[in-house]
């Protein structure tokens, strides 16, 4: 069975197959672990061995003793797991699960940008291809970006890519003047300030919480800004009972599980009639594709060994600093 050019296995699944039971049976039989990002569907989050943000998924990829890692997330997450665990088989249910932010930073252009600005430490967000990581000094995620930037001397010249919103936000809270790559995530850039302001009027008691990939005007009016994991933690700790959530709406599944007595209102995007904002790439993974992926052990992530050897260094550096900082 091939995943071929369509990027996933589309073998027909008989109606009588109990997907959950079969996925559970196969993962035991194959010594496979299912890792899920918080932006996956509720069904995938519920069946995963572990649900986490980008940092936690990378940390798990180094820890697991499984022979197979099924990464239910987007391509760069599978690639990061493969870079860290080259001897394991790393599968992603649908290889078409890309990332507009990673796509906004093609490796040849980024490398030219780095060469045009010598003497800079290169910090890249984990939402990048292996080839971009290969020309990076330290990888960061939204959970550790501030602390990692602050761990460098105050006068260190830094290039930060690819997310201009996260970069601007880190500059504003650290007082640094990092040189920014001009990239962005289409999901987080799409939130409508106008509609959010209307929601704030409608829910005056609600806290507005936002991911730092959102545009600056939204971050300015947010009551709390943080990574996926930080937003979830905040909703469990805050005394507030209502939250307007300006990030991919998949996180609300976990927020509701952790705080069933609280209300979560997804922040709306500006260009549709839809009330919430989903990452179309993340949502390409389905329970059916997960089932076929485990059954046929396809599609698999491969990383060129020369690129991998260069890309692993900045990721390990991030994991090392994060461990020291207790993140
Ligand atoms: P985190 O998981 O680091 O919060 O990143 C959010 C994101 O956009 C993942 O693609
Ligand atoms: Fe990429 Fe944005 Fe989707 Fe995250 S939400 S995977 S940054 S496109």
């Amino acid at each position: 069975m091939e995943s071929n050019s369509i990027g996933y296995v589309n073998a027909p699944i008989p109606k009588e197959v109990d997907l959950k039971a079969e996925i559970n049976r196969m993962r035991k039989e194959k010594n496979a672990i299912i890792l899920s990002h918080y932006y996956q569907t509720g069904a995938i989050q519920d069946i995963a061995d572990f649900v986490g943000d980008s940092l936690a998924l990378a940390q798990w990829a180094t820890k697991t003793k499984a022979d197979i890692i099924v990464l239910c997330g987007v391509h760069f997450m599978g690639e990061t797991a493969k870079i860290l665990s080259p001897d394991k088989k790393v599968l992603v249910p649908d290889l078409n699960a890309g990332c507009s932010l990673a796509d906004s930073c093609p490796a040849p252009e980024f490398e030219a940008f780095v060469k045009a600005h010598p003497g800079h430490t290169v910090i890249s967000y984990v939402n990048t291809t292996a080839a971009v990581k290969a020309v990076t000094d330290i990888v960061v995620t939204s959970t550790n970006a501030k602390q990692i930037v602050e761990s460098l001397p105050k006068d260190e010249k830094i290039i930060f890519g690819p997310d201009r919103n996260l970069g601007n936000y880190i500059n504003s809270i650290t007082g640094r003047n990092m040189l920014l790559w001009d990239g962005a995530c289409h999901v987080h850039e799409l939130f409508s300030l106008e509609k959010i302001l209307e929601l704030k009027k409608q829910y005056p008691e609600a806290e507005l919480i936002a991911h730092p990939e959102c545009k600056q005007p939204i971050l300015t009016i947010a009551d709390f800004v943080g990574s996926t994991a930080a937003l979830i933690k905040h909703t469990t700790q805050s005394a507030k009972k209502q939250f307007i959530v300006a990030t991919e709406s998949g996180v609300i599944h976990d927020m509701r599980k952790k705080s069933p007595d609280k209300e979560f209102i997804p922040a709306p995007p500006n260009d549709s009639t839809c009330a919430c904002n989903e990452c179309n790439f993340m949502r390409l993974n389905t329970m059916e594709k997960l089932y076929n992926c485990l059954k046929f052990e396809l599609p698999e992530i491969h990383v060129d060994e020369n690129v991998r050897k260069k890309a692993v260094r900045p990721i390990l550096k991030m994991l090392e600093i994060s461990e020291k900082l207790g993140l």
Side-chain angles (χ1 to χ4, degrees):
M1 176 60 60
E2 285 294 325
S3 57
N4 65 45
S5 58
I6 63 167
Y8 60 92
V9 180
N10 68 343
I13 304 171
K15 265 201 185 112
E16 62 277 12
V17 169
D18 179 339
L19 288 178
K20 273 196 208 166
E22 277 304 295
I23 289 169
N24 281 331
R25 183 188 62 75
M26 287 190 286
R27 76 168 136 200
K28 274 191 205 120
E29 193 180 284
K30 294 171 185 255
N31 190 26
I33 188 171
I34 301 171
L35 305 181
S36 166
H37 191 269
Y38 289 112
Y39 297 174
Q40 294 293 286
T41 62
I44 291 181
Q45 290 188 46
D46 289 345
I47 204 159
D49 294 281
F50 177 78
V51 187
D53 68 356
S54 308
L55 175 63
L57 294 178
Q59 287 167 330
W60 262 92
T62 61
K63 274 190 269 189
T64 180
K65 300 264 186 291
D67 296 313
I68 298 177
I69 299 173
V70 185
L71 202 312
C72 295
V74 292
H75 191 273
F76 77 80
M77 294 175 177
E79 214 175 44
T80 305
K82 184 69 183 176
I83 291 167
L84 289 165
S85 298
D87 300 332
K88 295 190 193 305
K89 193 177 258 189
V90 178
L91 310 170
V92 171
D94 189 337
L95 284 184
N96 300 303
C99 168
S100 57
L101 180 50
D103 289 347
S104 71
C105 189
E109 279 94 322
F110 189 67
E111 201 171 351
F113 182 72
V114 169
K115 280 200 181 124
H117 300 92
H120 284 70
T121 295
V122 181
I123 297 187
S124 292
Y125 197 28
V126 70
N127 300 43
T128 44
T129 59
V132 167
K133 290 184 176 83
V135 294
T136 291
D137 296 306
I138 316 175
V139 166
V140 296
T141 73
S142 49
T143 290
N144 56 27
K146 175 179 177 275
Q147 289 89 334
I148 289 183
V149 168
E150 281 179 332
S151 74
L152 299 175
K154 272 210 153 32
D155 56 351
E156 186 124 345
K157 288 187 188 166
I158 300 171
I159 286 176
F160 186 93
D163 192 79
R164 58 175 173 250
N165 296 318
L166 176 65
N168 267 319
Y169 176 69
I170 301 293
N171 273 343
S172 74
I173 57 173
T174 60
R176 305 277 173 135
N177 189 23
M178 301 186 296
L179 195 55
L180 307 181
W181 180 262
D182 193 20
C185 152
H186 73 297
V187 177
H188 288 89
E189 283 233 309
L190 217 65
F191 288 113
S192 160
L193 180 62
E194 232 171 46
K195 290 185 186 170
I196 289 176
L197 289 171
E198 275 166 30
L199 271 182
K200 274 172 78 83
K201 273 192 214 147
Q202 209 180 322
Y203 297 93
E205 290 305 314
E207 261 192 324
L208 170 63
I209 59 172
H211 193 281
E213 286 173 27
C214 294
K215 283 182 175 173
Q216 191 250 333
I218 288 170
L219 299 181
T220 306
I221 60 159
D223 299 296
F224 181 82
V225 177
S227 65
T228 307
L231 294 179
I232 294 170
K233 190 172 173 200
H234 178 77
T235 58
T236 64
Q237 293 177 341
S238 168
K240 293 281 183 177
K241 292 282 181 202
Q242 288 176 323
F243 300 87
I244 300 167
V245 183
T247 189
E248 213 273 1
S249 56
V251 296
I252 293 177
H253 181 73
D254 196 67
M255 288 172 175
R256 284 194 182 123
K257 268 169 117 174
K258 291 195 165 103
S259 305
D261 58 323
K262 297 187 178 178
E263 189 181 354
F264 300 95
I265 305 125
N270 60 20
D271 74 337
S272 75
T273 48
C274 181
C276 67
N277 213 355
E278 290 182 352
C279 173
N280 50 317
F281 295 116
M282 286 276 183
R283 304 309 172 110
L284 286 174
N285 295 324
T286 60
M287 286 291 278
E288 287 75 16
K289 287 178 190 166
L290 171 56
Y291 165 85
N292 272 335
C293 173
L294 256 175
K295 182 171 178 186
F296 297 102
E297 300 182 21
L298 283 170
E300 191 177 350
I301 296 276
H302 297 283
V303 181
D304 173 86
E305 186 55 15
N306 285 329
V307 175
R308 194 197 70 79
K309 277 188 194 145
K310 290 181 194 153
V312 76
R313 286 190 297 235
I315 306 175
L316 289 176
K317 186 128 197 184
M318 166 184 83
L319 294 177
E320 189 192 305
I321 301 175
S322 298
E323 200 180 338
K324 270 192 207 145
L325 295 167
L327 297 169

